[in-house]
Amino acid sequence: MFFSFFLPFFISLLITCAAIDSINSTHPLRNGDTIVSARGEFEMGFFSTPGLPQNRYFGIWYKKISSNTVVWVANRDSPVTNTSGVVSVTSQGILVLNGTKMIWSSNSSRSVSNPIAQLLDTGNLVFRDGNNIIWQSFDHPVDNFLPGMKFGIDLDSGLQRYFTSWKSVDDPSTGKFTYRTDRGGYPQSLLWEGSKVTYRTGPWVGSGYSGFPKQDSTELYRIEYVISPREIYYKFDLNDNSESAITRLVLTPNGDTQRLIWNKQTHVWSVYLSYRVNDCDDYEFCGGNGICNINSSPRCECMKGFHPKFQENWDTADWSGGCARNTQLDCKKGDGFIRVSGVKLPDTRLSWYNTTLTLQDCRKLCLSNCNCTAYSNTDFRGGGSGCLLWFGDLADMRGYSDDGQVLYVRMAASDSEESKKSSTSRVVVIVIPLLAAVTVILVLLLLYAFRKRKLKRKGVLRLDGEATNKIGKNELDLPLFTILQIARATNGFSSDNKLGEGGFGPVYKGMLDKGQEIAVKRLSKTSRQGIEEFMNEVSCIAKLQHRNLVKLLGSCVEQGERMLVYEYMPNRGLDSIIFDTELCKSFDWLKRCNIINGIARGLLYLHEDSRLRIIHRDLKVSNILLDHEMNPKISDFGMARIFGGSETEASTTRVVGTYGYMPPEYAIEGLFSTKSDVYSFGVLVLEIVSGKRNRGFKHPAHNHNLLGHAWRKYNEGKHLDVVDPAIMESSNHYELFRVIQIALLCVQQYPEDRPSMSSVVLMLSSKIELTIPKEPGFYSERNPEQNHSSSSKCDSESVNEISITRLTPR
Ligand SMILES: *[C@@H]1O[C@H](CO)[C@@H](O)[C@H](O)[C@H]1NC(C)=O
Ligand SMILES: *[C@@H]1O[C@H](CO)[C@@H](O)[C@H](O)[C@H]1NC(C)=O
Ligand SMILES: *[C@@H]1O[C@H](CO)[C@@H](O)[C@H](O)[C@H]1NC(C)=O
Ligand SMILES: *[C@@H]1O[C@H](CO)[C@@H](O)[C@H](O)[C@H]1NC(C)=O
Ligand SMILES: *[C@@H]1O[C@H](CO)[C@@H](O)[C@H](O)[C@H]1NC(C)=O
Ligand SMILES: *[C@@H]1O[C@H](CO)[C@@H](O)[C@H](O)[C@H]1NC(C)=O
């Protein structure tokens, strides 16, 4: 839903005078002429937009890039309606648009001896007298914020530098939204729609804005925020090693502030950061004293000690009335405070601050003023410093699970934490030892009962553990378990221990005598089809050791039983988390990123680093298991193939695998190689990033699957549309962009275009430049695999299980 702001403006230019970067009194600039900055970064002249071809605007745009992106307009509200526009400078220090408007005029009677208006490579148009800058366009921004510009207030001169949106993408005239720095109290930035505040960037709290956990990319640029007696401003500059990068902030006509970065490969502006992404970003969505939390349902709740002012409205999801105190403050009787952590600090327009005071002083100050309702630090770096006081209702707060600041809210003595502390601690003294004693007794009882039950089972099962199997013993060196051991571990294959039912039999959870937890895959005796896969899996994985591969502890081949014993993965399959509407919320970008990296390393090991070259052939989200630290482990080697040293590609007449993850050459021709796994990896990455399945992906606007959707959005420069909203805020958008591009490289149609896993690992872990992905394979819904009738089979997916889908090539 990002506003498409990249429409090229077809500027009708006739002549280009590349050598000249300035206008002087003898050389004005006429309609049709342009001026280019010294290194050719920016260009200046008259332009029209496709929507308003009759209007001529004088402005500045990027010269170096193919999209004619206008960054500054002089006469947005007074276009020249014919071709007689002229821009000239005079000795009075005047830069005028002939006939229509003065861009700027000096009031001083002092006449400028050598007036020059020069376009700099930063995109700044300066009017100067010798080296003395008298006026510059950076002091009068329109909607674009370029590196080196300042956004804020010069307190000496009173100059306020702020942004006003265009009316529409096609119309540069003054739009509805302005984004300005407010210094009513502690400085913060407010977005106004007319006279109404619609969004607030929280106050600066040392390392960033409060309530702005969206990381900005720091590889590209650094941010500076200054609050001094002379000026207040926000500014960003490109890092020295990324000077060729092109990035800007823009206030879009629909009131979003976006960070855009020019993608040199696709030649579009990519949205890296959007300031307003959800309801909680709307100003005061939950009313006064309410806290908005995007991950909770309902979104709004009152702070502790407060209740909805209008309960009925509140219950019908109209939260605008906000919250009121349960107990009114009573300054004379003495109030206390409660600590509210992980919040976006409230609106600071009614606040007071002093950056040198400590939190203790701050508390005293707040208590000494009966109107003070809360206090906090101004800077949260280190242990925190400075003092910020609020008066009146606390407006526009948000809650964050693991980000945000700490606020101390004033409460009547009866509601505050201090008054409860003493009584709570008394309770604790009694309750804790009591609880401990009860727990110990319970555990002992349970242990006793458990042992008794185990002994009973042992007798009943009476399985003999003599038989051995030559595969296990002689050839593979894999520890052998007896049926008795496994039966004991799994409580006699009790149904309570069953984790799931796989393609060729059930999977049980168990615990060995030593206390080690295991997962047992038991090939069902009636299943003929599984034997081959079973043997295959044993021979494939027996020798493999990698932290991102599930570990095979041993096998059991006895009395017609075939079982594989794995380490147990407490967090089950990745699919049970990322495709779950609730669980996915706790699964932030960092976790997903670690998982992507882990899978890539595991796969690299299979392909290149182990002694064997192994192709997994059934890589998918449900085959990625998670250990207790959420490390991913690739599992299920039932379809894997071992390749000889020089062999790189093979073909089969029996195509096995899962729809949605199979590359075209495999699904259609039965050809497979390490590049088939790379394709599946790409699909997996897109599923992890989007939280959606490739198969069955639906979008109202088109018939593509997830790959097609990602490909489309990538080419439109709107890759963030692909991203799971649950990770939007926790993610570094620069990393996201790279990961999506890498995934698209992996799913390219032709195997030879796809990178090897070693380059994938390199691309993921470094900042090396990525190539441009070509069209993905199978990205349209109307691909051959979709027509196949047996495709529903693979929907049954569970832990430690193979879902085999057979497809005989025609
Ligand atoms: C104005 O600029 C032109 C071309 O850049 C130059 O030839 C001319 O000498 C300049 N005039 C003055 C007064 O500086
Ligand atoms: C161009 O338009 C301006 C007003 O916008 C007018 O003053 C001027 O005379 C026009 N020039 C020509 C050549 O039509
Ligand atoms: C401004 O335009 C008028 C005609 O519209 C022309 O006579 C005059 O010379 C122009 N002034 C400059 C400084 O170009
Ligand atoms: C400049 O002149 C304008 C009117 O032409 C006036 O409103 C403004 O106050 C003057 N500014 C200064 C700094 O003299
Ligand atoms: C902040 O507090 C300190 C210590 O009380 C005082 O010296 C200083 O002047 C105060 N600063 C401002 C800006 O009020
Ligand atoms: C508290 O606020 C009231 C009005 O809201 C004002 O009259 C009064 O002076 C304030 N008291 C202090 C100590 O600031």
Side-chain angles (χ1 to χ4, degrees), residues 571-587 592 626 630:
N571 286 310
R572 319 188 109 210
L574 183 55
D575 57 328
S576 65
I577 296 180
I578 59 164
F579 298 143
D580 184 284
T581 46
E582 281 306 311
L583 290 178
C584 74
K585 287 177 189 161
S586 63
F587 221 57
R592 294 189 198 203
L626 300 172
M630 289 289 175

Side-chain angles (χ1 to χ4, degrees), residues 79-84 99-100:
V80 186
T81 49
N82 55 34
T83 55
S84 65
T100 56

Side-chain angles (χ1 to χ4, degrees), residues 58 72 74 87-97 101-108 110 112 115-117 125-129 132-137 139-140 159:
F58 176 65
W72 185 76
V87 173
S88 48
V89 297
T90 74
S91 58
Q92 264 70 50
I94 301 171
L95 192 62
V96 294
L97 269 172
K101 136 164 189 158
M102 276 178 189
I103 295 177
W104 170 79
S105 78
S106 162
N107 278 13
S108 65
R110 176 172 72 110
V112 179
I116 287 182
L125 173 63
V126 296
F127 179 78
R128 57 186 172 81
D129 180 13
N132 201 2
I133 293 179
I134 300 169
W135 178 94
Q136 56 181 343
S137 65
D139 287 340
H140 306 274
L159 178 71

Side-chain angles (χ1 to χ4, degrees), residues 635-688:
S635 75
D636 222 324
F637 289 77
M639 325 258 180
R641 279 299 179 89
I642 303 178
F643 269 45
S646 59
E647 204 181 357
T648 57
E649 188 185 90
S651 74
T652 179
T653 51
R654 185 167 156 259
V655 173
V656 290
T658 305
Y659 287 122
Y661 293 93
M662 281 190 274
E665 76 278 4
Y666 181 54
I668 295 168
E669 297 167 64
L671 286 175
F672 64 92
S673 65
T674 49
K675 296 294 181 71
S676 347
D677 278 355
V678 171
Y679 180 94
S680 312
F681 174 77
V683 176
L684 218 143
V685 170
L686 287 176
E687 293 186 328
I688 294 173

Side-chain angles (χ1 to χ4, degrees), residues 361-372:
D361 298 334
C362 202
R363 183 173 189 278
K364 280 184 209 136
L365 270 174
C366 190
L367 279 176
S368 69
N369 182 329
C370 289
N371 290 351
C372 173

Side-chain angles (χ1 to χ4, degrees), residues 493-553:
F493 300 104
S494 123
S495 56
D496 293 347
N497 283 38
K498 198 158 149 183
L499 291 171
E501 187 80 33
F504 60 72
V507 179
Y508 297 91
K509 181 187 172 179
M511 191 188 279
L512 296 178
D513 291 344
K514 287 167 282 177
Q516 184 178 14
E517 288 188 304
I518 54 170
V520 179
K521 204 154 136 181
R522 186 189 198 189
L523 184 65
S524 86
K525 285 183 185 170
T526 54
S527 149
R528 302 236 108 255
Q529 59 173 39
I531 296 176
E532 193 186 325
E533 279 92 0
F534 174 83
M535 302 312 274
N536 188 35
E537 176 146 17
V538 174
S539 54
C540 263
I541 199 178
K543 297 266 169 69
L544 300 181
Q545 284 275 354
H546 190 271
R547 66 190 300 260
N548 296 115
L549 300 185
V550 70
K551 196 167 160 200
L552 184 62
L553 301 174

Side-chain angles (χ1 to χ4, degrees), residues 214-230:
K214 311 153 194 173
Q215 291 171 40
D216 250 350
S217 153
T218 50
E219 291 114 57
L220 282 177
Y221 52 84
R222 53 187 184 278
I223 285 168
E224 194 183 341
Y225 197 92
V226 170
I227 299 177
S228 79
R230 304 195 55 192

